[in-house]
Amino acid sequence: PACVFCRKNDDCPNKYGEKKTKEKWNLTVHYYCLLMSSGIWQRGKEEEGVYGFLIEDIRKEVNRASKLKCCVCKKNGASIGCVAPRCKRSYHFPCGLQRECIFQFTGNFASFCWNHRPVQIITSNNYRESLPCTICLEFIEPIPSYNILRSPCCKNAWFHRDCLQVQAINAGVFFFRCTICSNSDIFQKEMLRMGIHIPEKDASWELEENAYQELLQHHERCDVRRCRCKEGRDYNAPDSKWEIKRCQCCGSSGTHLACSSLRSWEQNWECLECRGIIYNSGEFQKAKKHVLPNSNNVGITDCLLEESSPKLPRQSPGSQSKDLLRQGSKFRRNVSTLLIELGFQIKKKTKRLYINKANIWTSALDAFRNRNFNPSYAIEVAYVIENDNFGSEHPGSKQEFLSLLMQHLENSSLFEGSLSKNLSLNSQALKENLYYEAGKMLAISLVHGGPSPGFFSKTLFNCLVYGPENTQPILDDVSDFDVAQIIIRINTATTIADLKSVINECYNYLELIGCLRLITTLSDKYMLIKDILVYHVIQRVQAPFESFKQGLKTLGVLEKIQAYPEAFCSILCHKPEIHTLPDVKALGFWNSYLQAVEDGKSTTTMEDILIFATGCSSIPPAGFKPTPSIECLHVDFPVGNKCNNCLAIPVTNTYKEFQENMDFTIRNTLKLEKEESSHYIGH
C-alpha cells in the first residue's frame, strides 16, 4: 500500500522512516511524511493512533494537503511547507529530498525549501586537496553543500550526508557523536540544524541479545609478583586462604588472600596499578555524593506542593526530554543486570537457615547474627515449628522466606508512614542495632533473589543516594499528626500577626527542636517550615539512618544504589506490578483462568496465585530461581510447590469446575496461613 501523504509505496526506513500500516482504518504512512506534515500535532499517547498522531487528525491533514499542489512534481497532496516568511512552496517529503530541502527533526519540526535552507558557513577554505569522509573514507571535496557536511567541533572532519544519516540511525541519541573528538552536544545540535534525524533510542549494537556476554565473566587468577600457592596462579579454593580476591577498582586483577596477607574476603584490595592512580590523584577518600539536579533552585513551596511536568506540543517516538535522554547509558542499565552482577559474589557453599514461620523476625535475626553466617553463601531454608519435641523440619522456599521478611520489615516499628515510609526513631531498636540488621536484610534479599522493598519514600531514597545534606523533605514525609498540623498552620498564615501567633502557641516545641527564628516578613515562614521538616524527617533520625546505611553496604548493595540511582528507584520506592508469568505455557482452562483474574472477574488476584505457587508476593528484581513452571496433574485441586516455584493445576472436565477448584484452594490456603500468623502475633 502507498503512503497517504506522498503516494509512494517505497519501504526505505533510512530515507522515509518506518512504513506503518493500520489495516483497521485502511491507512498507511511513512513516519517522516507524518512527522514533517505542517498541519498536524501529536495529541495522543505514544500507543494511540500512529506514534501518538490520532487517526482523525491524520485524515484531516490528508484532506488539507489534497488542496495543495507540490511545487516539484505538480501533484496534489503536498502536506509540507517551507517555514521561511512569505515563502509559499509546498511539497511531498520525497520530492523535498529530491530537491535537497532540509527537514529539522527537532523543536517544531521545521522544513526549508532549497532557497531558504540553512547552510554551513566557512570563513576561509584552506583545503586545496580532497579529504576523506571520516565514516566511509571515500575522498570528497571539502566544500560545504547539501550532500557534504563539516563537523562543528573538528575543522578537518568532513562527511557525506548519507553516511551521517545511517550512522545516526544506528547509533541513536546516546552514541551519535563526532568521529574525531567524540563531542556529542555541539555535534548533535549542528547535525539536527542541518537536517540529520537522530532517533531517541539505544544504539543498534546495544539491542543485540547477549552482545556483551563476555563481560559477565569475572577474573580468576592471582596476578601478584610472587604467588605463594603451590597449585599455581589459577587455583581458587573458596573459604580458604587460597580464595582469589579481585581488585575492587578494576576487577581485572586478582590475588590469593594469603599472597597479599588478606585476613578475610571482606577486606578491600586494590592492584598495584589502581593503587598508584588512587594515591597519586589524592582522591583516596570517601566517594563524593551525587548532587540532586537543580537542588539550589527548589523553594519551600515546591517542596510542599508537587508540580506536574509540562507537556510538549510535539514529540518524537518514545518521547522524553532530550536532557533526560542525555543522562547516558550508565543510568539506563537494567536493575536485573545490576543485581545479577552483585549475585556473582554468592559462593557455591550453602548455609541452611532454620526459620520459624510463625516468628519470622526473631528467626531471621538469629540466623543472620550467627557467627557462622556469611552473606555470600547460598541460602537454603528449612522451616521448623516452635516447641516441637521431635525436632522435625520441612524444606522451605527462599523466596517465600524473604518475602515474609520484607512484609514484616515494611510493617515494623523501624519505619513510619502509610505507603511511602521513612525511618522512625525507636530507641530500643537503636540500642539493639536493629536498624543495621534491617539494612543488612534488605541487601541480602535483593542479592539473593528476594523481593524488593518497594516502600521507601523518595526522601529516604535521596538521603541514601545524594546524602541528607542534599535532600529536602516534603509534608507527606511527616507521619506525626501534631507536627503536620503545626506545619500546615504556619504555611496557611496570611499575615505576620497570624504567623507570630502560631509561633507563640508552638514556642516550647520550636525551642526544643532548635527551630526558633526571628520573623520579620511573612516569607520567613517558608524557611521556618523547611527547618521543621529537615529536623523531623532527617536530623531526628540521624543515628538510625547511619546504622541502616551501614547495613545496606552488605554485599556492596549501597554502592550499587548510589552508582545507579535511577535503576534502583523503581524497585525501592515503587511496588512492582504483577502480570501473567511469561514462562507459563498458556494451556486451555489455565489461559482462560488467568485472563479472568487479570480482568477482575475472579475472587483470586494475580498476587494470590504468585504467593500460592512461589511464596513471593511480587516478582523479585533479579527474577525467580528456579524459573516458575506449571504442570498438569490428574488431581482435584491445585498444588503449589514453593521450593521449586512450581504450580500443579488440576485436570477437569469443564472450565467452571476448574475455576471453582482453583479459587477455593488458593483463597482458603492463603486465608489459613494468615490466620496462623495472626494467631501467633495475638498470642
Side-chain angles (χ1 to χ4, degrees), residues 381-397:
V381 175
Y383 288 133
V384 296
I385 302 175
E386 195 174 17
N387 300 325
D388 184 359
N389 297 326
F390 298 99
S392 59
E393 59 184 64
H394 310 282
S397 163

Side-chain angles (χ1 to χ4, degrees), residues 300 472 486-487 489-491 499-500 502-504 506 509-511 513-519 522-535:
I300 188 66
Q472 176 59 54
I486 292 174
I487 295 174
R489 289 181 63 191
I490 294 174
N491 189 50
L499 181 58
K500 290 183 177 181
V502 175
I503 293 175
N504 288 334
C506 309
Y509 171 73
L510 296 176
E511 183 182 34
I513 66 175
C515 290
L516 277 177
R517 61 169 50 242
L518 180 64
I519 301 297
L522 187 61
S523 60
D524 289 341
K525 69 179 182 180
Y526 298 124
M527 292 306 300
L528 178 58
I529 293 174
K530 181 177 179 181
D531 292 344
I532 298 173
L533 285 171
V534 169
Y535 168 79

Side-chain angles (χ1 to χ4, degrees), residues 634-654:
H634 289 276
V635 292
D636 293 330
F637 300 98
V639 179
N641 187 337
K642 297 175 182 177
C643 296
N644 298 323
N645 297 329
C646 179
L647 175 65
I649 59 176
V651 177
T652 59
N653 294 325
T654 64

Side-chain angles (χ1 to χ4, degrees), residues 436-502:
Y436 170 83
E437 297 296 340
K440 180 179 176 181
M441 291 174 181
L442 285 168
I444 290 174
S445 176
L446 288 173
V447 177
H448 283 265
S452 57
F455 59 81
F456 282 21
S457 71
K458 284 292 181 62
T459 299
L460 175 57
F461 181 79
N462 288 337
C463 285
L464 291 170
V465 175
Y466 308 109
E469 66 277 9
N470 295 317
T471 301
Q472 176 59 54
I474 61 175
L475 183 60
D476 290 342
D477 293 319
V478 179
S479 59
D480 189 306
F481 178 79
D482 294 332
V483 176
Q485 286 300 309
I486 292 174
I487 295 174
I488 293 173
R489 289 181 63 191
I490 294 174
N491 189 50
T492 54
T494 56
T495 64
I496 294 182
D498 292 342
L499 181 58
K500 290 183 177 181
S501 175
V502 175

Side-chain angles (χ1 to χ4, degrees), residues 72-122:
V72 179
C73 67
K74 309 304 180 183
K75 296 179 180 179
N76 291 338
S79 61
I80 306 172
C82 177
V83 299
R86 294 187 296 277
C87 181
K88 297 183 179 180
R89 290 192 178 97
S90 296
Y91 35 83
H92 302 103
F93 185 83
C95 296
L97 291 180
Q98 179 186 338
R99 284 302 305 268
E100 300 182 349
C101 298
I102 280 186
F103 305 93
Q104 294 181 342
F105 294 87
T106 184
N108 289 326
F109 295 81
S111 63
F112 299 87
C113 69
W114 51 93
N115 282 344
H116 301 110
R117 69 189 182 205
V119 295
Q120 289 185 309
I121 300 175
I122 299 179

Side-chain angles (χ1 to χ4, degrees), residues 52-63:
F53 293 92
L54 303 180
I55 300 299
E56 56 181 303
D57 292 345
I58 295 176
R59 295 202 184 281
K60 288 179 181 178
E61 178 64 2
V62 172
N63 184 55

